[in-house]
Amino acid sequence: MANRVAASGIVLVGGASRRFGSPKALARFRGETLAERAWRLLEEVCVEVLAVGKAADRLSLPFPVVDDRSELRAPIVGLVAGLRAAELPTCLVVPVDCPLLTAEALRALARALAVPQTGPLPGAYPRSLLPELEARIAAGELSLQGVSERVLELDEAILANVNTPGELLAAEVADRAAELDEVQVVLLPRSAARAGERSEACELVLVVDDLEPHLERGAWLDELGVAVRSVTAIGELGVELRLRSEIGGEARLTLLRARLARSPQAASLVRGRPALVDRVGLGSG
């Protein structure tokens, strides 16, 4: 494909998934596993794709996994194994738990040989870094911070990663909502794009013209397999829905009336949230 870049795409599937409770690589996101989603995305972008993890995990995936041959569970270990196995000098590395990434953003990282402003992954790395990375591991330094000095500013909303079933649920709902014409704005949890500020309350905000189509039985939330546990009015602003996924993740979804989205009463709901979709410029004012 003409829009592929000359890079090896590497999916990291060897994470510990401690907070998630089960292997994140196998968690389902809109009909496919997170690993399958990352692989498919990299196939759109790169001329070569491989996955790196631990053979001992015995993950049931539709593609082979390169064993990182290490007892350590750290992204740097997967990166080193991926660089060793890659055929091309530029490697685009994607963690399995960033389901909102786009092909456009990954192409930009690969072409700039850069990492985003939020941290080292996802990111593009040259194979020539192998000696430096191997020396880091040998010295017990497992952080990837500072390895790449090239930084490319990307939309923080698409960089959100999921560490809990609740965060996965929030990302799935946000991704589907962004496709709906009647949804004007999709605002992610404030913590979704800020490392070190996570909370267990994954609250999404959707700005809509009319609430009713989103509350009817058989609507798009039902199509996702998401259960609405409760609906609570928030005065004239809108309603709050308590959601639960099939794997037990919980999240709050606020439906905010568009005519009141810029009101002082709505400021606390809107302020500081990264926008996955903003069709009316709510986040620019």
Side-chain angles (χ1 to χ4, degrees):
M1 293 175 63
N3 59 350
R4 285 179 176 170
V5 296
S8 295
I10 300 171
V11 186
L12 300 182
V13 299
S17 304
R18 292 187 185 89
R19 293 180 59 195
F20 200 83
S22 61
K24 280 190 283 186
L26 302 181
R28 300 198 70 80
F29 185 95
R30 301 196 62 187
E32 60 188 343
T33 66
L34 287 176
E36 290 168 341
R37 186 178 181 87
W39 181 279
R40 176 174 55 79
L41 189 62
L42 282 175
E43 281 191 319
E44 294 180 32
V45 176
C46 302
V47 297
E48 179 195 25
V49 182
L50 58 149
V52 176
K54 297 189 179 299
D57 289 345
R58 300 183 183 278
L59 297 177
S60 179
L61 296 171
F63 43 77
V65 175
V66 176
D67 188 5
D68 64 25
R69 300 182 181 276
S70 173
E71 295 181 359
L72 297 172
R73 288 194 184 265
I76 191 172
V77 172
L79 174 56
V80 164
L83 293 180
R84 288 172 179 163
E87 295 182 358
L88 297 170
T90 296
C91 295
L92 182 60
V93 187
V94 172
V96 78
D97 58 359
C98 290
L100 300 181
L101 285 171
T102 66
E104 179 183 10
L106 291 181
R107 288 190 193 98
L109 286 174
R111 288 169 177 152
L113 198 60
V115 299
Q117 72 278 11
T118 53
L121 293 174
Y125 293 86
R127 261 200 343 232
S128 59
L129 277 177
L130 255 177
E132 177 184 338
L133 295 173
E134 290 169 337
R136 281 188 173 225
I137 294 176
E141 186 178 350
L142 302 182
S143 173
L144 284 172
Q145 294 291 341
V147 170
S148 176
E149 296 180 354
R150 296 187 181 186
V151 176
L152 181 67
E153 291 285 330
L154 294 177
D155 180 357
E156 290 192 355
I158 65 172
L159 299 170
N161 68 325
V162 294
N163 285 315
T164 67
E167 290 174 349
L168 178 67
L169 170 59
E172 187 173 30
V173 171
D175 190 62
R176 178 66 181 105
E179 300 171 347
L180 302 175
D181 292 338
E182 62 269 26
V183 174
Q184 302 299 316
V185 183
V186 178
L187 298 174
L188 299 179
R190 291 183 182 89
S191 62
R194 291 178 171 83
E197 295 183 14
R198 296 191 176 279
S199 70
E200 296 303 318
C202 301
E203 183 177 5
L204 291 166
V205 176
L206 305 185
V207 177
V208 299
D209 291 319
D210 184 9
L211 301 182
E212 293 306 318
H214 304 282
L215 301 176
E216 295 172 356
R217 186 174 298 277
W220 61 280
L221 286 171
D222 289 339
E223 296 171 4
L224 287 176
V226 175
V228 179
R229 301 184 65 190
S230 65
V231 180
T232 306
I234 314 173
E236 290 297 313
L237 291 176
V239 296
E240 179 186 278
L241 282 62
R242 294 277 180 161
L243 308 180
R244 186 176 179 85
S245 69
E246 294 176 347
I247 63 171
E250 297 189 357
R252 297 198 304 268
L253 171 63
T254 297
L255 300 177
L256 181 62
R257 288 186 172 90
R259 62 184 174 83
L260 297 174
R262 289 185 172 84
S263 67
Q265 301 95 313
S268 62
L269 287 171
V270 174
R271 186 180 299 118
R273 294 178 181 274
L276 187 61
V277 165
D278 186 355
R279 298 186 173 100
V280 295
L282 181 65
S284 61

